[in-house]
């Protein structure tokens, strides 16, 4: 997945530059994911990830490119989307996911939150630089208290 994502980000950057289009990137991570696995087991953790994956697919456009990047981290490439629009997508995803629940057993449901890092392609970005900036924004969201979207230019 990571290799496919990197290849796809590279090609989307070339396409955006060739046509003078915007390109944005979201990096999404489940807050305190280890707690779900520790408290409820890996099956419930897998349900949380599946719920997030479904929520991402339902929230983004068909031309957007969602990927599971690793562990509990997802990335979404947003062609022809500027940073402000990407923040809106991240906020919509964040609030929808926080409002959803996952079944633990017959009597208990749990909810989770996500943190989202956002960036937009700059003139001299490599795929690695663009991803690293979105990842820094994600970690800023986590260090600011989680369950939020942070954008870096």
């Amino acid at each position: 997945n990571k290799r496919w994502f990197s290849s796809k980000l590279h090609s989307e950057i070339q396409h955006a530059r060739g046509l003078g289009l915007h390109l944005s990137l979201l990096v999404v991570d489940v807050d305190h994911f280890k707690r779900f696995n520790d408290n409820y087991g890996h099956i419930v953790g897998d349900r949380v990830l599946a719920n997030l994956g479904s929520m991402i697919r339902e929230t983004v456009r068909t031309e957007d490119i969602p990927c599971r990047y690793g562990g509990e981290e997802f990335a979404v490439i947003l062609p022809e989307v500027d940073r402000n629009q990407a923040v809106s997508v991240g906020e919509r995803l964040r609030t929808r996911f926080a409002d959803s629940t996952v079944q633990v057993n017959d009597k208990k449901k749990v909810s989770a939150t996500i943190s989202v890092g956002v960036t937009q392609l700059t003139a001299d970005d490599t795929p690695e630089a663009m991803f690293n900036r979105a990842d820094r924004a994600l970690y800023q969201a986590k260090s600011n208290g989680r369950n939020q979207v942070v954008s870096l230019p």
Side-chain angles (χ1 to χ4, degrees):
N1 280 341
K2 192 180 283 191
R3 189 176 310 136
W4 184 87
F5 164 77
S6 296
S7 171
K8 195 66 175 165
L9 181 58
H10 181 3
S11 65
E12 289 297 321
I13 287 172
Q14 288 181 321
H15 179 76
R17 283 197 175 124
L19 296 175
L21 301 172
H22 291 293
L23 179 70
S24 291
L25 178 64
L26 305 180
V27 178
V28 180
D29 190 72
V30 178
D31 296 327
H32 301 295
F33 182 70
K34 187 177 180 330
R35 288 185 194 171
F36 283 94
N37 284 339
D38 291 349
N39 292 334
Y40 305 112
H42 290 277
I43 292 173
V44 174
D46 288 346
R47 287 182 195 149
V48 169
L49 295 178
N51 184 38
L52 178 55
S54 295
M55 191 80 52
I56 290 170
R57 282 189 304 275
E58 294 166 7
T59 302
V60 302
R61 308 167 303 168
T62 57
E63 59 267 32
D64 297 331
I65 304 158
C67 309
R68 182 159 176 202
Y69 188 76
E72 69 275 9
E73 195 168 74
F74 292 78
V76 184
I77 302 168
L78 301 168
E80 300 182 38
V81 171
D82 68 24
R83 191 164 53 115
N84 290 334
Q85 293 167 318
V87 167
S88 294
V89 173
E91 281 292 346
R92 192 166 54 248
L93 177 60
R94 185 190 65 76
T95 56
R96 287 186 70 203
F97 187 71
D99 289 341
S100 69
T101 59
V102 171
Q103 196 77 38
V104 173
N105 56 41
D106 291 343
K107 297 179 182 178
K108 183 173 179 100
K109 292 182 180 183
V110 294
S111 61
T113 61
I114 56 173
S115 295
V116 183
V118 178
T119 197
Q120 179 179 316
L121 180 66
T122 64
D124 57 346
D125 267 340
T126 63
E128 296 80 15
M130 187 179 189
F131 179 83
N132 287 338
R133 194 169 49 256
D135 202 42
R136 280 195 320 272
L138 169 67
Y139 281 94
Q140 187 175 331
K142 289 196 172 284
S143 68
N144 290 348
R146 295 179 168 77
N147 190 27
Q148 59 186 277
V149 177
V150 170
S151 170
L152 291 178

